[in-house]
Structure formats: structure tokens, C-alpha cells
Amino acid sequence: MTKVYTCQVEVRWADLDLLGHVNNTKYFEYAMEARVHFYREAISPERRPGAVVLRKADMEYLRPVTTETPSLRIEVFVTHIGTTSYTLRHTMYDGSGEVCARGDAVMVGFDRKTQKPRPIRDEERMALAEYLH
């Protein structure tokens, strides 16, 4: 059975714009925070991805998040695993349980010595495959 990782991310007062909505750039920060939790909590240390860098990120805004939402529930799963990269989907739910945003992040394995992409290791691939949809 395919897994989905879920976490809560706090909506901070400073995240709001003059209209009382979460600023659009903050959703990328929420996705990054969810990815960090995903790596730390969902994947065992020996199977965690090595160094990775963000190659591309996009976000679809579906509903505004306001001061009425103290935190977002974020689901993370994998949509694609390639040779040197994989894609994570972040689905964000507001306090009413409605989807408010959905975004993808393309993560690339990174070799710190050569400063170039590296292949995804077998252990990483197996761990990520458990969350592949």
C-alpha cells in the first residue's frame, strides 16, 4: 500500500498580508518545512536521501488561508522518481479540511565534491518508492 506522509505546519501572524491572507510566498516555506519533516520522520536514517537540492518548485493556490486557520495539514508523497531526481507533491489543507494549495518540488541528488547531480542511491529509491503515487 502506498504511503502518504502528513504533518501540521503553523500559520504565523507574520505570514499574513494586509488583506489578512497568507502571502503567496509563504506556501513555499510551508512546503519546505513539510519536506524537512518528511525526511526526518518518514524515512529511516539509513535510507534518507543524501544531499539534495531544489531544482524547481511550483504552487497552485486554490483557497486563501486567513487568520482563522492556525495551522495547515500538509500531505507529502512522491509523484516521480528518475535517475538523478524525484518529485514531491505537497497538498495543503486549511482548518476546514479543504485543499487550499497544491505544489510540486523537483529534488535533485547532489554531489558536494563535484557540485553536480548524482544518481539516486538504491536505498533512497526504495524509501521514496514507498510514497510513490
Side-chain angles (χ1 to χ4, degrees):
M1 185 162 147
T2 304
K3 298 179 183 179
V4 173
Y5 173 76
T6 303
C7 67
Q8 295 288 128
V9 174
E10 181 182 358
V11 175
R12 298 165 294 270
W13 181 83
D15 296 346
L16 304 173
D17 61 20
L18 292 175
L19 298 174
H21 299 132
V22 169
N23 182 283
N24 62 319
T25 62
K26 296 298 179 179
Y27 291 85
F28 291 97
E29 290 181 26
Y30 299 151
M32 179 183 65
E33 189 172 336
R35 280 195 304 279
V36 169
H37 288 295
F38 170 70
Y39 292 137
R40 287 184 181 162
E41 298 170 11
I43 299 178
S44 61
E46 63 277 358
R47 295 173 72 192
R48 281 189 190 136
V52 293
V53 293
L54 178 67
R55 176 179 168 105
K56 178 183 175 185
D58 62 41
M59 191 69 60
E60 179 181 18
Y61 306 98
L62 303 168
R63 293 170 50 98
V65 173
T66 66
T67 57
E68 305 299 314
T69 301
S71 66
L72 297 175
R73 178 172 53 92
I74 303 179
E75 293 180 350
V76 179
F77 59 88
V78 179
T79 62
H80 172 77
I81 304 173
T83 303
T84 60
S85 67
Y86 55 91
T87 304
L88 296 175
R89 166 79 40 90
H90 310 78
T91 305
M92 302 180 192
Y93 298 85
D94 64 16
S96 68
E98 296 288 326
V99 176
C100 56
R102 185 178 299 115
D104 290 339
V106 177
M107 308 303 294
V108 176
F110 187 71
D111 184 315
R112 292 178 183 174
K113 282 186 179 180
T114 65
Q115 298 288 296
K116 294 185 180 191
R118 63 162 178 81
I120 303 298
R121 297 186 325 263
D122 289 341
E123 307 85 48
E124 294 173 277
R125 186 176 303 283
M126 289 181 349
L128 293 166
E130 293 179 16
Y131 293 87
L132 184 60
H133 285 235

